[in-house]
Amino acid sequence: MKVLSIQSSVAYGHVGNSAAVFPLQRLGHEVWPVFTVHFSNHTGYGAWRGPLLAADDVREVITGIEERGVLDQVDVVLSGYQGGEEIGDVILDAVARVKQANPAATYTCDPVMGNARSGCFVNPAIPPLLRDRVVPAADLITPNQFELGFLTDTTPATLEETLASADLARAMGPSTVLVTSVEQPSAAEDTIEMLAVTDDGAWLVQTPRLPIKSNGSGDLTAALFTAHLRTTKDPAFALGATATAVLGVLRTTIDSGERELQIVAGQDAVARATSDFEVRQVR
């Protein structure tokens, strides 16, 4: 599989392309990373250095790839955090170009906007852009429960409400919705869940809630689920394998005592591509 991944990059740590590229390569996939920023570190530190790349410069990189005559080889376009409206336009244009060259290609969008604890933390122009233009162009989206609620103007809490919200999101365009960080009121406090919803059904996996908040875990999740779903066409397997790999990396990170996601040290969990958790079909 070949992936055109249009995301941020950091020199220190693992977020955006710096969280997605190596795990995809570790699974044997070719990745063509296109950077939207190149920062010293992620912005969660409160201070960073490096350039936010101009939309025209990002477009030029994609045009250069197109001029090599290889866009028809792209199987998946992957995008994450979008820093401005102009980058959104570039990504949508890239998706259109890729799908024109290869109609079988798919687009995965991680609609990064915020979370239930922090609220919305992106440029105010981004959520409407994602809802009105980007999500309708996507084949797979990977929102957390908070982001799913914004996209669909709902407040999902129970499993039934989350399924209904995912169906509303699928009606907007994507055929598949992966809801990360599902928190049901009835679930045990030391657990967290992920939900995958497709045309064929819905599947839920529950994992331990680890005492860690690590930037980049959402980027890792989106990349791995996309890869497993695309290569196996099995949502249940993709869900279980993704949960297992991410939990493995998070546990390695906790053991290391480091703040940054330990993707390299935890790469064996990614490469195993197996599921250690029960995946339950809920529809």
Side-chain angles (χ1 to χ4, degrees):
M1 184 175 77
K2 291 185 173 66
V3 181
L4 179 66
S5 185
I6 310 171
Q7 301 195 61
S8 60
S9 172
V10 293
Y12 174 72
H14 295 283
V15 300
N17 266 333
S18 302
V21 172
F22 175 66
L24 289 171
Q25 292 172 330
R26 192 66 179 80
L27 287 171
H29 305 301
E30 184 73 32
V31 188
W32 302 341
V34 176
F35 299 158
T36 56
V37 308
H38 188 54
F39 289 163
S40 56
N41 50 269
H42 67 70
T43 59
Y45 286 93
W48 64 92
R49 294 180 182 273
L52 172 68
L53 300 180
D56 285 345
D57 290 335
V58 179
R59 193 188 304 271
E60 281 291 288
V61 173
I62 296 167
T63 298
I65 296 172
E66 183 178 39
E67 289 171 347
R68 303 287 71 77
V70 294
L71 285 190
D72 62 336
Q73 299 178 26
V74 175
D75 299 296
V76 173
V77 180
L78 175 64
S79 74
Y81 170 75
Q82 299 184 16
E85 291 180 272
E86 297 83 3
I87 290 295
D89 290 334
V90 172
I91 292 170
L92 286 170
D93 180 58
V95 170
R97 290 199 228 178
V98 167
K99 288 194 170 189
Q100 183 176 20
N102 177 16
T106 59
Y107 170 38
T108 295
C109 170
D110 183 6
V112 179
M113 291 180 278
N115 56 60
R117 290 171 177 79
S118 305
C120 193
F121 51 64
V122 298
N123 182 316
I126 298 302
L129 169 71
L130 289 169
R131 181 190 61 215
D132 300 336
R133 298 182 56 212
V134 179
V135 167
D139 300 283
L140 164 61
I141 60 172
T142 63
N144 59 39
Q145 202 169 20
F146 171 85
E147 292 160 341
L148 176 65
F150 176 86
L151 292 172
T152 58
D153 195 23
T154 60
T155 53
T158 66
L159 176 59
E160 292 73 19
E161 290 168 347
T162 306
L163 283 167
S165 296
D167 287 338
L168 290 173
R170 293 174 62 246
M172 297 166 65
S175 59
T176 302
V177 175
L178 173 69
V179 189
T180 63
S181 303
V182 173
E183 300 185 49
Q184 296 188 62
S186 60
E189 288 186 9
D190 59 349
T191 64
I192 195 162
E193 296 167 320
M194 286 200 301
L195 174 72
V197 185
T198 75
D199 291 339
D200 299 321
W203 295 264
L204 188 74
V205 64
Q206 184 178 89
T207 63
R209 182 192 295 271
L210 300 181
I212 182 175
K213 179 184 179 299
S214 191
N215 296 76
S217 56
D219 304 317
L220 176 62
T221 299
L224 293 179
F225 184 79
T226 296
H228 289 311
L229 183 65
R230 177 80 193 202
T231 54
T232 69
K233 307 294 190 295
D234 184 339
F237 173 82
L239 187 61
T242 298
T244 300
V246 173
L247 262 289
V249 171
L250 289 175
R251 283 178 171 138
T252 300
T253 303
I254 292 172
D255 291 344
S256 74
E258 297 287 340
R259 172 174 177 172
E260 292 293 336
L261 205 60
Q262 297 298 296
I263 290 178
V264 176
Q267 63 181 283
D268 287 349
V270 172
R272 277 201 309 128
T274 58
S275 177
D276 294 340
F277 300 103
E278 177 187 4
V279 178
R280 182 164 58 96
Q281 186 161 6
V282 293
R283 191 170 68 192

